[in-house]
Amino acid sequence: MKVNSNFDNLVPNYLFAEIAKRVNEYQSANPDKDIIRLGIGDVTLPLAPVVTDAMKKGADDLAHKETFKGYPDYEGYLFVRQAVSDYYKSFGVSVGADEILISDGAKSDCGNICDIFDKDNTVLVTDPVYPVYVDSNIMAGRKIIYADCNKNNGFKAMPDENVKADIIYLCSPNNPTGAAYTADELKAWVDYANENNAVILYDCAYEAFITGDLPRSIFAVEGSRTCAIEFCSLSKTAGFTGTRCGYTVIPKELERDGHNIYKLWYRRQATKFNGVSWPVQCAAAAVFSKEGLEQIRENLEYYKENARIISAALDELGIFYTGGKNSPYIWLECPDGMKSWDFFDLLLTKANVVGTPGAGFGKNGEGFFRLTSFGDRDKTIEAVERIKNLLR
Ligand code: PLP
């Protein structure tokens, strides 16, 4: 037998392993140092009470014959899909409950969606990039092209009519850069996709961090229903990184190559995925209740305030950055032209603060660095003070 030889084409991603190695080595040599981690992409605040109550009630249901639940519907229970649809309505976007599919998260959906597209499609990703888009398509043997995001375009790549892409991954607000597209910018991508018979795979896992009138969904943009699929997640919106629940939206009219895309994805999910558990779907629906939305807002505000604290320090130091305003990520230019890993070592050894070197997200990440606002408030304040003392 043979294995999938496309795996040989994956570039080993040492980023987080290398960070852990350097931090552990430093800590072992300096056991008295208090290291603060602002590199993590995981949340730290607990689930909202209304969410855990719903989860407990869901678990109790499973203990009784009358309320027991077996396999869920492949696309998720209607009351959860309706709750997501109503949530979209609350920010002015109309997507039907029958266009939403509940899943175990955006990472799986962003990767698994590859199953429904031909191997010979060309995939465009922006660089720097969330590695899942790249690796899933390398595993499937697809050609990947990169759209450069850099200081000149504010880390927001725009379509190039001379480039032919079939599948386009966009992430806004972006991981790692925190940059968020405006409606006009997204419209340019939508027009490109419709003109080129391409499909946009729009990852808005961080939409809940958007403030002001930036679009929180690609379906806020005219023309998107004939070219876009949207992935979202409760991981960052409501702290579900360990609980696992997300949703994918596919407009019923989205067709390519004589096929209805919703039907293909439904078929794929029905074949390889058996749904999200009852207690978790109950918890997910509770997120979108009036009380749930109020409670998750408190956690989101906490992270946003952390982001404001970090951004204010960078403003004070005169350091260029993107993100921090509509995103939990702050993507900063390393001072004095330093390379990402050199800056990592400097911060680790001189300020005992850990961040994520931008070079780990693609060639355009070199010279940049990611800090996150998902940490503890007091530690964030302390880390920022140390960074200011070091770089001032
Ligand atoms: N999409 C982006 C851009 C992310 O940064 C992440 C997590 O860090 C995910 C998706 C994963 O989401 P989930 O936890 O729903 O799988």
Side-chain angles (χ1 to χ4, degrees):
M1 65 82 71
K2 289 184 170 175
V3 300
N4 179 350
S5 60
N6 294 318
F7 277 65
D8 295 337
N9 301 325
L10 292 169
V11 178
N13 194 338
Y14 295 126
L15 180 61
F16 290 101
E18 180 62 22
I19 291 174
K21 181 172 158 275
R22 291 190 192 204
V23 172
N24 290 342
E25 276 171 13
Y26 180 77
Q27 186 78 86
S28 304
N30 303 275
D32 56 318
K33 298 288 188 200
D34 169 30
I35 296 175
I36 301 178
R37 289 171 169 78
L38 292 189
I40 48 158
D42 201 351
V43 294
T44 52
L45 293 175
L47 295 171
V50 66
V51 170
T52 47
D53 285 350
M55 202 185 293
K56 286 179 208 161
K57 158 93 178 45
D60 281 343
D61 291 343
L62 299 180
H64 304 283
K65 197 161 194 295
E66 305 72 44
T67 46
F68 172 75
K69 298 281 184 295
Y71 290 123
D73 301 332
Y74 295 124
E75 73 275 46
Y77 289 106
L78 177 58
F79 72 95
V80 189
R81 291 183 283 117
Q82 190 57 53
V84 175
S85 171
D86 292 345
Y87 175 63
Y88 272 87
K89 205 176 290 164
S90 73
F91 48 80
V93 174
S94 175
V95 292
D98 57 352
E99 298 177 313
I100 294 163
L101 300 102
I102 306 299
S103 74
D104 62 349
K107 185 183 200 172
S108 352
D109 285 2
C110 286
N112 292 336
I113 196 81
C114 301
D115 278 5
I116 70 169
F117 298 117
D118 188 88
K119 179 189 147 310
D120 289 336
N121 286 306
T122 297
V123 179
L124 181 145
V125 300
T126 56
D127 172 354
V129 63
Y130 175 56
V132 172
Y133 315 147
V134 174
D135 289 356
S136 327
N137 282 285
I138 287 179
M139 287 175 191
R142 288 199 189 90
K143 181 179 169 214
I144 300 186
I145 54 176
Y146 293 86
D148 288 331
C149 298
N150 47 44
K151 216 174 155 179
N152 295 335
N153 59 20
F155 284 91
K156 292 188 278 184
M158 294 304 293
D160 177 346
E161 60 186 30
N162 300 313
V163 170
K164 173 81 183 99
D166 304 304
I167 298 171
I168 300 160
Y169 278 93
L170 296 178
C171 176
S172 179
N174 190 272
N175 179 11
T177 72
Y181 282 114
T182 64
D184 286 347
E185 288 163 345
L186 280 185
K187 177 78 174 111
W189 279 108
V190 164
D191 289 346
Y192 172 95
N194 279 324
E195 279 157 25
N196 289 277
N197 198 32
V199 171
I200 295 174
L201 303 179
Y202 191 72
D203 182 349
C204 58
Y206 300 95
E207 62 78 19
F209 289 83
I210 288 179
T211 45
D213 58 4
L214 291 177
R216 291 175 60 175
S217 159
I218 196 158
F219 299 118
V221 176
E222 198 204 326
S224 57
R225 290 183 60 87
T226 52
C227 68
I229 297 175
E230 180 157 296
F231 306 96
C232 199
S233 163
L234 294 183
S235 284
K236 308 301 159 76
T237 304
F240 272 53
T241 52
T243 306
R244 311 303 308 143
C245 195
Y247 44 93
T248 285
V249 184
I250 309 186
K252 282 289 168 74
E253 61 261 50
L254 179 56
E255 308 239 331
R256 285 293 178 275
D257 194 19
H259 291 271
N260 179 276
I261 299 293
Y262 176 94
K263 284 189 184 154
L264 290 184
W265 179 239
Y266 182 92
R267 184 67 204 264
R268 190 269 170 215
Q269 290 296 77
T271 303
K272 296 196 191 178
F273 177 66
N274 246 345
V276 175
S277 73
W278 171 250
V280 170
Q281 291 205 50
C282 291
V287 167
F288 299 109
S289 65
K290 188 169 169 294
E291 238 185 325
L293 289 171
E294 278 163 18
Q295 291 181 6
I296 62 161
R297 196 71 12 230
E298 282 174 31
N299 287 5
L300 288 166
E301 280 311 321
Y302 182 96
Y303 296 135
K304 285 181 184 180
E305 180 58 21
N306 284 351
R308 274 190 286 272
I309 290 165
I310 300 169
S311 306
L314 298 176
D315 286 335
E316 211 179 305
L317 292 165
I319 290 178
F320 172 88
Y321 65 95
T322 50
K325 294 188 178 62
N326 300 294
S327 159
Y329 297 119
I330 296 101
W331 178 253
L332 61 107
E333 186 171 31
C334 302
D336 306 323
M338 286 180 89
K339 293 193 153 194
S340 301
W341 279 106
D342 293 339
F343 187 59
F344 175 89
D345 289 335
L346 179 78
L347 272 197
L348 173 63
T349 57
K350 298 286 186 282
N352 303 147
V353 172
V354 178
T356 313
F361 297 100
K363 81 171 167 46
N364 290 310
E366 183 55 279
F368 284 81
F369 200 76
R370 192 189 76 174
L371 295 175
T372 88
S373 63
F374 287 127
D376 171 79
R377 171 68 47 76
D378 290 341
K379 290 203 161 150
T380 301
I381 292 172
E382 167 69 20
V384 158
E385 282 312 309
R386 293 186 197 169
I387 293 173
K388 283 203 286 192
N389 288 337
L390 176 68
L391 300 181
R392 214 180 337 240

